[in-house]
Each structure stands twice: as C-alpha cells, then as structure tokens.
Amino acid sequence: MSQDSQFSLLRQRRFGPFFLTQALGAFNDNVFKNALVILVTFGIAGLAQEQINFYVNLAAVLFILPFFLFSATAGQLAEKYEKSRLIRGIKLLEIGIMALGAVGLWIGNVPLLLGVLFLLGFQAALFGPVKYAILPQHLREEELVGGNAWVEAGTFLAILLGTVLGGWLVAQPGGSHWISAVVIALALAGYAACRAIPPAAPAAPELRINWNPLTETLRNLRFMRTNRTVFLSVMGISWFWLYGAAFLSQMPTYASQVLGGDPSVATLLLTLFSVGIGAGSLLCERLSGHKVEIGLVPLGSIGLTLFGIDLYLAHPEAATVSGLSAGAFLEQPGAWRVVADLVLIGVFGGFYIVPLYALIQTRSEPSHRSRIIAGNNILNALFMVVAGALAVGLFKAGLSIPELLLVVALMNAAVAVFIYSLVPEFLMRFMVWLLTRTLYRIDQRGMEHIPDEGAAVIVCNHVSFVDALILGGNIRRPVRFVMYHKIFRIPVLNFIFRTARAIPIAPAKEDEALMHKAFAEIEAALAAGDIIGIFPEGGLTPDGEIQGFRSGIERIIERSPVPVIPMALSGLWESMWSRRDSRLRRMRLPRRLRARIGMSAAPAVPAAQVRAESLEQTVRELRGSHP
C-alpha cells in the first residue's frame, strides 16, 4: 500500500460512491437544519421571543430523538438486508422528506418544518449502522483507517459547509425558495451517487426483527459488554461526542461574549475545528502505517486535554469589545493562540476518533457489527444530551463559558485515565507506537502471511531488547511473546510486556519451575486461538549474527500442532538497545537514532514440517533478502 492510498480510495467504486453519498447526506441535513433555525429566529413574522426560544430548542431535541427510538431497529435492518439496496431505500426516503420540507418552507409552517426535521433524524438514524458496517465489507483491513478517516473528515466538513450554505441561502431574497431547490437537488444527487455503491451481502439474513426499541437496545448493550475492548471503545467514542458537543454548542456564544466577535467569528471557529478534525483524521493512516493503531487514541486524548486547557488560558476573561469581524478578531492579542488551540483540538480529535471506529469494525463479530454500531449511535446521542445538561448545570453553578470548557478538558483527562486503566492495551500500544516511530523507520514485507484469526506461532531472530515491542507494535493481531525472564522484568518495558500478556521463561538450569509454567501457558494460549511469538535462539545475539535455533519450538508444536510463521528483523544490530550498542556506550561512541530496520515474514510452515534447523535457515534467508 502506498502512503497516499486513502486518496486513491476516492477513485474506486467500492468507496467513492459511498463517500459521496454519506457526505451529501450530512451536507443536506445541515443546510436544512441551519436554514430552519435562522428562519425561525429571524424570518417568520408573528413569533414571540418565547416561541422562538421554544422552537429552536425543540428543533435540537426533534433531530436527536429518532436516534433513541429507531437506532436499534436500524441496526437489525442493516444486519438482515443487503446494504447497498438498503442505502438506496434510505436515500429515496430523503428525497420524499426534502420534498415535504420544501412545501413547509413555501408556506412557512413551523410545525410542519419541525416534523420534517424529526423525519430527517429518523433517516439519519437508519443510515448510521449501514454507514459504518459497510466499510469492512468493501475495504481491506489495512484500508479501514483511511476509509474511516475520509468518513470523519467528510462528515465534519459537510456539517461546516452545510451550516454556512444554509445560513447564507436563507438570508437571500426568496431564501425559502432557494433552500427548497437546493435540498431537493442534494437529495437527488445523493440518490444518484448511491446507485453506484457495490452490493454488500447481509451479515445475518435469517435474523428476526425485534420491533421493540427498548428491549432491542438493552440487548445490544448487553452484547457489547461481552467484548470489553469493543464496549469501552464505544464508550470512548460517546465521550468524544460529549466533549465535541460541549465545545461546539458554546462556540457562537463564546465567539460573541468571550472573543467579542460577530457571527463571522463564530463561523471561523467552526471552520477551524472542522478543518482540524479533517486534517487529524487524514493523518491517521500515515501515522498508523495503514493499520488499526489504537496507540493513537491516548495521543488524541492527551491533545484534547492539553489544548482544551490552553484554550481557557488563552482567553479566560470576557472581551471588552464587541462586534469584531473575523479579520479584526485575528488582529487582537492572543487571537492566533485561540486559532491554534481550536485547530489542534480538532487534529487530536481526529487521532482519537478514527482508530476507535476502525477498532469496533475489526474487533466486533460481523453478524452483530451493525447492531453494535446502532448501540454506539444510541450512546452517542445520550452523551450529547448529557453534554447539554452538564452545560446547564455548570452555568447555574456560576461558571463562565471558558471555565466550562476547562472543566470538560479536565474531565477528558480523568475519563482517559479511567478507560486506560480498564484496558491497558490502549496505553501499551501508545508507548510501543511512540517508541518505534521515534527511534526507527520500519520497512515491512510479507505481513499478509500472518493469519487474521486462529492459533499460530511466530519465530524470529533475536537482535535487541525491544524486538518484541517492534514486532508486537506492527503486527495487526495481539501477539503473546515468550521472552527471557530478565528482559521481561526490565523497568518501564515490564509494564508493556505484562499488558501484552507476555510469557516469561527461563532455562531449566536457572528456574525449572518457571520453564514448565511457561510451556503450560503457551499450550493454553494456542488452544485459545492466540498467536505466540518466540525467539528460538534462546537469547540476544552477541555478535549480530543469527545463532542456532533451539529445539523448544519443536516441543511446542508437538504439544500444540499449529502453523509456524518465520520472521526476520534486520538493521537493529546497529540501532539502540542491542548488545553492540551497549559496547559502543562503554567506548563513549554516539548511538544511532532513527535507524532503518526491516521486518519480513515468510509463508506459514505446517505443523508436520516444523524443524528447528529448517526454520533457522528460512529466517536467515529472510534477513538476507532485506537490504
């Protein structure tokens, strides 16, 4: 895969039409929503201020309510029926809804327009589970990060552009007519795009639909809890929507009261956040090396906290001026710090959200994926409602808008610590990602030979103290490494090894009981379908050359007959953490940073053909073939 593969996805039928369909849908929703709010606030004569406030708040409730009522049913429909056909039906529904909205705009009937907004929420709730469940069926696993990045970037930019266009059109002479024409045209364009989406087979065609949203929602939540990582990923995504809703809902008032700006400043803030999300999302594929890298999630949460705090520090007090245009605001002291904070909050939000969506898609069972995503949508909606309630409560307690944003940023740190304490895999992968991306440039070959599921053993040459970190951080499945007990106990690295459930082992002459315990753990792990990683040389190379493979691998395969994948590392002997580097330090010679290293895998060897000598020869050939 080339580094620009996520851009090539847009030109391919298996992704391009779907991306255009979902982006046009988000764009159309926001054109209509923002036009309706502005029309109610400024454009419909005869409404008292109390009525305007009531209708504006009711509009927000009516759009989000269908996610609670219909997401569970939508998840079942996405599981039972072919997805491209379902999308076409949903887009046809959008055309009808927008036609009804055009009628409401022409006659200026507010209750009818609010009913249309409820129907748009219903249509969005139906589309949500299909939107994310179809990606793993059309994209390879190494493309999922790029695909999700485009979906998140496209969604936020569509929200931005739709909000701006809706507000601009409704302010023009004959604005209602323009809005009517545009929303119908966008719905028709979305339907035209969706007709090119390739078929995606139903995951559970035999499923019987449970039409009770309450019992089905509870069933989905119970099922999510059976996979701890998936459930906490869903909770992490929902927290992000609470964080985002708390920030974005305050932006108009923040722009006016705190920054002293006019509406153009509020638009600028929304633009900065949206562009940041888009940039961060699209950077995920490059930073993750075309795989689902959950190590980016802690990085994202750190950025969300740090730059959320700095946004408070940049402008903690209300402005003494008012009515500033966007250009005039940027000339104020500290304005560019606010700009930088909002962009970076968006960037780190992209780092946070994209891997979590990809993780749910890869770790959830295909037969339940749509229903899990439906449950995720329900929790997202709930957390956004909680964000509103939290804001109301903190304002009643006397907090200002900057103080509210500070509290949310600090809460983000507390939530992150809580989640990573429950699932240390996130923090472990972050540490591995940081280590490998800081110290090494890694060239991978043959990684497709590692099976996506089922038990297997990986054998590799042993060059440095961080071999397990490099292999584990770049293999898409969790690997349980068997390692010399003294390396296992190295401070700091020990946290990573324990979190990755590495298995410490010792020679019989050092600790026979630990050796027998290690072999028993290996057998149990392979019986459970895990991947085991071993270094058959029995220790670090003393001279950079591959040492003879010991017979322990044959003993393992005799007890657990599974395939063996030979792998080789090259270039590490000249980098940090090898024994060669230890001698260089004693001679006070400089270390080599950012070393280019190679990681290669060969096709799996069947259990019946496993011999230590032949595996050693294969690993030697692999290392020799890697420059």
Side-chain angles (χ1 to χ4, degrees), residues 422-487:
L422 294 178
V423 187
E425 182 185 359
F426 284 99
L427 191 56
M428 182 269 291
R429 294 287 297 204
F430 170 61
M431 294 176 68
V432 171
W433 177 85
L434 191 63
L435 175 69
T436 57
R437 294 306 183 277
T438 302
L439 300 181
Y440 305 111
R441 291 170 292 172
I442 303 173
D443 180 21
Q444 302 179 17
R445 298 184 182 182
M447 303 304 288
E448 69 276 4
H449 296 308
I450 299 173
D452 291 331
E453 56 185 21
V457 175
I458 289 172
V459 296
C460 187
N461 58 317
H462 204 1
V463 191
S464 74
F465 293 103
V466 293
D467 291 348
L469 299 185
I470 291 169
L471 292 170
N474 289 277
I475 293 173
R476 58 183 176 270
R477 287 182 62 188
V479 180
R480 297 193 63 184
F481 284 96
V482 182
M483 60 179 58
Y484 184 47
H485 66 106
K486 291 184 179 179
I487 295 179

Side-chain angles (χ1 to χ4, degrees), residues 316-488:
E317 303 294 337
T320 57
V321 296
S322 61
L324 295 173
S325 67
F329 160 69
L330 293 175
E331 295 175 356
Q332 299 297 304
W336 284 101
R337 185 175 174 184
V338 172
V339 167
D341 285 333
L342 279 172
V343 170
L344 289 169
I345 287 171
V347 168
F348 282 89
F351 293 166
Y352 180 90
I353 197 74
V354 168
L356 286 178
Y357 273 117
L359 184 68
I360 290 174
Q361 291 162 346
T362 55
R363 297 278 184 99
S364 57
E365 293 184 23
S367 60
H368 285 78
R369 185 180 291 136
S370 296
R371 282 172 281 177
I372 287 174
I373 293 169
N376 170 68
N377 292 342
I378 293 169
L379 288 176
N380 292 173
L382 176 62
F383 274 58
M384 285 189 281
V385 172
V386 170
L390 176 67
V392 170
L394 291 177
F395 286 146
K396 285 189 175 180
L399 271 66
S400 65
I401 293 177
E403 289 168 341
L404 165 68
L405 302 181
L406 175 64
V407 167
V408 173
L410 294 174
M411 288 174 64
N412 181 72
V415 169
V417 170
F418 175 68
I419 290 179
Y420 304 145
S421 68
L422 294 178
V423 187
E425 182 185 359
F426 284 99
L427 191 56
M428 182 269 291
R429 294 287 297 204
F430 170 61
M431 294 176 68
V432 171
W433 177 85
L434 191 63
L435 175 69
T436 57
R437 294 306 183 277
T438 302
L439 300 181
Y440 305 111
R441 291 170 292 172
I442 303 173
D443 180 21
Q444 302 179 17
R445 298 184 182 182
M447 303 304 288
E448 69 276 4
H449 296 308
I450 299 173
D452 291 331
E453 56 185 21
V457 175
I458 289 172
V459 296
C460 187
N461 58 317
H462 204 1
V463 191
S464 74
F465 293 103
V466 293
D467 291 348
L469 299 185
I470 291 169
L471 292 170
N474 289 277
I475 293 173
R476 58 183 176 270
R477 287 182 62 188
V479 180
R480 297 193 63 184
F481 284 96
V482 182
M483 60 179 58
Y484 184 47
H485 66 106
K486 291 184 179 179
I487 295 179
F488 178 84

Side-chain angles (χ1 to χ4, degrees), residues 96-270:
I97 293 171
M98 287 306 184
L100 187 61
V103 172
L105 288 167
W106 276 65
I107 64 177
N109 187 304
V110 175
L112 176 58
L113 290 171
L114 291 173
V116 169
L117 193 61
F118 176 84
L119 292 175
L120 280 179
F122 167 66
Q123 185 248 352
L126 289 180
F127 186 62
V130 189
K131 173 179 175 179
Y132 288 104
I134 198 172
L135 287 177
Q137 291 186 256
H138 285 166
L139 302 181
R140 296 186 294 273
E141 184 171 331
E142 64 268 23
E143 296 173 321
L144 273 179
V145 172
N148 279 284
W150 275 120
V151 168
E152 296 309 311
T155 298
F156 275 91
L157 291 176
I159 291 172
L160 167 65
L161 295 174
T163 301
V164 172
L165 181 62
W168 182 78
L169 285 175
V170 80
Q172 304 307 304
S176 296
H177 296 43
W178 282 109
I179 291 292
S180 301
V182 167
V183 296
I184 291 176
L186 288 171
L188 290 170
Y191 178 72
C194 81
R195 291 191 62 82
I197 298 175
E206 74 291 345
L207 179 69
R208 294 184 62 183
I209 304 293
N210 174 16
W211 298 101
N212 186 319
L214 178 60
T215 58
E216 185 61 25
T217 296
L218 293 175
R219 182 187 301 173
N220 287 346
L221 294 177
R222 283 196 299 268
F223 182 80
M224 276 194 294
R225 290 179 65 87
T226 62
N227 187 323
R228 185 183 181 86
T229 301
V230 169
F231 177 70
L232 288 172
S233 297
V234 168
M235 296 300 290
I237 291 172
S238 298
W239 168 257
F240 174 78
W241 284 107
L242 184 151
Y243 181 104
F247 270 68
L248 291 178
S249 64
Q250 303 307 321
M251 282 301 104
T253 311
Y254 178 80
S256 173
Q257 297 181 5
V258 180
L259 302 182
D262 65 9
S264 68
V265 176
T267 301
L268 173 65
L269 300 186
L270 177 60

Side-chain angles (χ1 to χ4, degrees), residues 559-613:
R559 296 173 64 167
S560 304
V562 299
V564 176
I565 299 100
M567 293 192 68
L569 290 169
S570 60
L572 275 165
W573 180 246
E574 298 177 355
S575 70
M576 296 182 67
W577 307 104
S578 69
R579 283 184 172 173
R580 175 181 181 273
D581 185 65
S582 298
R583 289 203 292 269
L584 289 176
R585 277 182 288 161
R586 288 198 295 270
M587 294 187 292
R588 301 181 183 276
L589 294 177
R591 300 179 180 185
R592 180 184 172 195
L593 296 175
R594 294 295 293 158
R596 184 179 294 278
I597 63 176
M599 186 170 70
S600 304
V605 178
Q609 300 175 21
V610 169
R611 301 290 182 274
E613 296 82 2

